[in-house]
Every structure is written in C-alpha cells, then in structure tokens.
Amino acid sequence: MVIALCVTVALAIMPLVGVPKSWILYIFLFFIYLAMANMWNLLAGYSGLVSLCQPAFLGLAGYAMTIGTWLDIPWWAGMIGGSLIAGLFALLISSAVFRLSGVYFAIGTLVVPEALRMIFFLWRPVGGAMHGAGAGYMIKGIGDLSPHVVYWLSIFVGVGSLFLVKGILRSKLGLGLSAIRDNERAASSSGIDVFRLKLYVFIISAIITGFAGTIYYLYQGYIEPTATFNVRWTMTLLLATVIGGIRTVEGPVVGTVVVVFLYFLLARYAGYSLLIQGIILVGIMLISPQGIVGILRRSKFYDSIVKRMK
Amino acid sequence: MIYGGDIITPILMGIMLGGLYALIALGLSLVFGVMRLINLAHGDFVVMGSYIGYALMRNFGIDPILGLIISIPVMFVLGFFIQKYLMGRAFAIASEIPLIIAFGISLIIQNAHQIIWTPLSRALNTPYSHMSFHIGERQFPVSYLLDFVAGILIMLFLRWFLKRTYLGMAITAASQDKRVAQLMGINTGRVYGYAFAIAMVSAAIAGVFLGMTFPFTPTSGISFLTIAFGTVVIGGLGSMLGTFIGGIILGVVQTIGGYLFGPASQMLLVYIIVLVILAIRPQGLFGK
C-alpha cells in the first residue's frame, strides 16, 4: 500500500520537476488505457461479457463534453455529464445486446460503434469550424486549462479505477459475479439476479470508460468520428488486459505497461509495434492463458512483492 | 456508389455484390460450424489473398484468377499449419484462447501487410474487370458478375464437398459430435486442420474477386470481417446455403441503403438490420 502510494505521488509531481514532455505523455496514456482496460477486465474477465463496444462509451462521453463546450457548458461539467450519458447509453442498448450470449454478444456489441461512427459522421449538432478530414469538432474554452490538470485527472481515473475494481470484487456484486461466471444457471437458481448484476457492471464500465475518454479528448483538444468510434481502442484494451492477465486484478496494470512501453520503444515504427504485440499475444496465450501475471505468479519473488503492495 | 434512375439497378447490383459477400463469409461460416470458433483473422486472410494476387500480377504478370493455381496450395498449407500448431493447441487450453489467438494472428497479418505493401490502397486491375455488360438498358461492371458467379460456384462446391465426399462427411461428423466422430475412427485433429485449410482457400479466392471489385488496404480486413459477420448473422452460422442467401440480403440492403440515404450511410441500414436480426433471431434466418 505504502509503495503504491509513493509511486502514485512520484508520478503526480513529475510534470512539476521538469520531466521530458514525451514521458508525461506516455504516463498519461498509461493511466487512460489502464482505466479502460480495468473496466474491460471487469466485463470480459469477471462478468463474461466480451464487450466490443467500449469505443461507443468513450466516444459518446467525449462528444457530449465537446458539444457541451460549444453550448457554454464548462468542460468539467461536460465530463461528468458525458460519463453519465455513456452510462445511459449502456442502459439503453442493454435491452437489445443482453439478449445475446457469448459469441453473439461480442458480434452485437461490435456493430454498435460502427453504427455510431456513421451517425456522427452525418450529424452536425452545432455549427462552426470542423477539424480534420473526419469533420470533427474542436473543444472550446480549454485554452487556459493547464496540461498538468489533465495529467493529474488521468492519474485520478487510472488509480481510481483500480480501487473501484478491487472494491467491486470484494462487494456483494463481485461475489455474485464470480458465482455467475462459475455456473450461471446454478447462480440464478440460488437467487442471484443475473441480468441485473451484469447490467450494473455494464453501466459502471460505461461510465468510467466514458470518463477516461473525456480526459483523453481534453488532452487531444478535438474529437472526430473516425478515430473515436474505432476498433483500435478495443484492440488496445483487449491487448493490455489479455497480455497482462485477464481475470486478475494486476493483469491490466502489467499489460498496459507492456503496451505503452512498446508504443514508446517503437514510436517511429507504428506497424512493427502492433506486429510485435500480436506475436507477444499469441506466444503468451500458448504459454500461459493467464498472461504475464500467470507466469509471474509461479515465482516466489513476485508473491512477496504483491503481499507488500497490499 | 451513386445510382441514378429507378430502384431496380441497386437491387441487381446488390444481388451481385452479395455473391462477393457470401464468398468472403463462407470460410468464416465453415470454421464456426466445425470448430465453434469466430475466426477474427478471416478478414485479414481474405486481404492476404488479394495481396498474393497483386504480387503475382505485378511481379510476373500473372492474371489474378490464374494466380489462384499458385495461391490456393499456399493458403491451404498455411491454414493447415495454423490450425495444427496454433489453434489446435489453443483449443486444448481453454475455449476462449483460440479467439484471442485469432485476434493476435489478425494483428500480425495486418501489420505485416502494412510493412510489406505500405498503407497505400491497391487494386487488382485486369483488362476485363473494368468492362461492363448490359441487362436491358442497365449497365453493370463485369467484376460484379464475376463475384456473383464465383460466389455461387464456391457455395455449391462446398455444399457438395461437405455432403458427398469422405473428408467432407468426416468434417460434418466432427462438427456434429466430436467424441462420437472420434469413436468412429475419425482423426478429428486432422479433420479440423483440413477444415481450416479449406476456409483459407475460400479466403484466397474471395481475396482475388474482392481485389477486382474494390480497392484494398492492409486494414481492409476489419471492414470485410464486419461484412462477413453481418452475412453470417443474417444467414446463420455454419450453413453454406444460408450464408449465401445472407450475403445476397446484405448486398441488397446495402445498395438500397445507398440508394435511399446516399453512399455515406449505406452501411448504416446494414448494421441496423444485423442488430435487429441478432435481437430477434440470434441463430440467423437459416440457422438451426
């Protein structure tokens, strides 16, 4: 616990002591991806919901915030409102996609961001200057917003999501989820409302993913549909979670470090970075289905570190 | 695509385009039917077929359809080994691992294409693919007709193969009940390998006709995977005839969507229909 706190504080004061800007950017990305990967782990790992529609949540939240700034709603209110809209959207589509199970759930959710991309491509909610080839919007009124604040927000959401996952797993909701995962029929006959528990997780993950998305777009300064509702987001989250170790709390942390580190290492060769991630993914799955954490857990040294972190 | 005139033209184009979609989806449907695996790399295998055709055409001047004589054995062997050394092992670990491995293969192929061929858009331009033919007053590209003919032929061939040949019946048996098939003396490991290899061959063929119809880039695989998903969802996973009809429906819906709402939103109608069918009848219109 103490070590974790020290690391967080050290990372938080980094921009104040003159650490290179590119480092800050990678740490920022790490925390954004970490928050989203944690939420994906909660869905796919702990609830058996292989959701491929996470870009829909972060995109809707981002768009809500951006459009809000054009209507003179301050960015911080837009962040909260946008996250809630993402949660509402999860509630809205749940009635359709929750009828599907397993593979069909994955296919059904995959289509959602694709449809949203086309809608936002055609829809022009507010007038004014468009940005980029995808005809997106600039975020208004964040000129005096310090980049440090955006960076700290990312730490907040990254670390916060980690505590949230831990908290959920210890709560009644988490216990219900593990019962559902082990045997859905037995859980439901023992009085667990399967639909409601899954819905809670789906909405929580949508809100947090949306919140992390708004922070990402605050940093980027504009939003456009093609890169927003893009399957690349899903790929990043899946890679980070699965390489690290799905269905483990530490997994997304380890996996996100690997993903961001490869990003950093191979920044000039974007194609090679994904190629290597693909090879790592296939290799690790064949060696250890529980990812890097699965391999690490076999060693005693790792055990002692984890115990001290707790 | 912009269509002038009446609604008959987009419907006819949609039917022909549907042949191509069916061709792309047949391999996905076969692998799902046999192994219960959603092969996320299928779209990239199709694009790989397009690039092999492109390489043969550019370097040796071989016509892409003739080039299939070379690419089919290559893809067959590759498919067999992917199943034997990656997927087969993955199935032994846990049921969701093959899906993740397929995703990893998709990433590898996509980025290998990007490195070898650069992200530029390519096309298989042959003298005949740009010609057009007439149905009454209406004019259509020859490549669309080729798509449709190839779609029907491959679908009929796969149906015949699965029902009438020994290997085909073994594949069907293994997909219906793996354990009983093993008791009857079928080597299911090898049968899975052949099924995957045949799916790869269909991807190679689909890739060539795709390349003659649309330009392709290293990342095209994802959009064609989505189309193949849609086709298979409409038609029903695992059924060859259902997949073909699903392809036609999807093609027609897309072109009518383009006709009614303009080219930018032609896929929107498709996605809505896919979502509606998933919600009402997840096993597809022709699935069991």
Side-chain angles (χ1 to χ4, degrees), chain B residues 164-230:
Chain B
R164 295 274 174 264
T165 64
Y166 175 77
L167 182 58
M169 284 191 279
I171 290 175
T172 315
S175 72
Q176 283 166 353
D177 194 325
K178 189 181 169 187
R179 198 167 293 169
V180 174
Q182 277 171 333
L183 286 175
M184 296 297 131
I186 293 168
N187 182 345
T188 49
R190 188 180 297 166
V191 160
Y192 281 7
Y194 284 128
F196 205 90
I198 291 164
M200 287 281 276
V201 167
S202 82
I205 299 170
V208 165
F209 287 96
L210 167 79
M212 291 200 290
T213 316
F214 298 115
F216 52 92
T217 67
T219 49
S220 295
I222 293 173
S223 45
F224 291 110
L225 181 72
T226 324
I227 286 177
F229 267 153

Side-chain angles (χ1 to χ4, degrees), chain A residues 99-100 103-104 108 110-111 114-115 118 122 231 235 238-239 242 247 271-272 274-275 278-279 281 285-286 289, chain B residues 38 86 93 96-97 100-101 103-105 107-108 111-112 115 222 229 233 237 264-265 267-268 271 275 278-279 282:
Chain A
R99 301 179 57 151
L100 314 168
V103 179
Y104 295 105
L110 180 71
V111 176
E114 297 286 323
M118 283 172 196
L122 299 169
V231 89
M235 286 178 7
L238 192 150
L239 274 171
V242 173
R247 220 172 290 155
Y272 286 94
L274 278 171
L275 184 75
I279 294 170
L281 183 70
M285 278 305 105
L286 290 177
Chain B
I38 295 276
L86 293 176
I93 301 170
E96 74 263 26
I97 306 295
I100 296 169
I101 302 246
F103 174 72
I105 294 174
L107 272 184
I108 295 171
N111 290 286
I115 293 162
I222 293 173
F229 267 153
V233 162
L237 283 160
S265 53
M267 287 308 284
L268 190 61
Y271 292 141
L275 279 179
L278 269 176

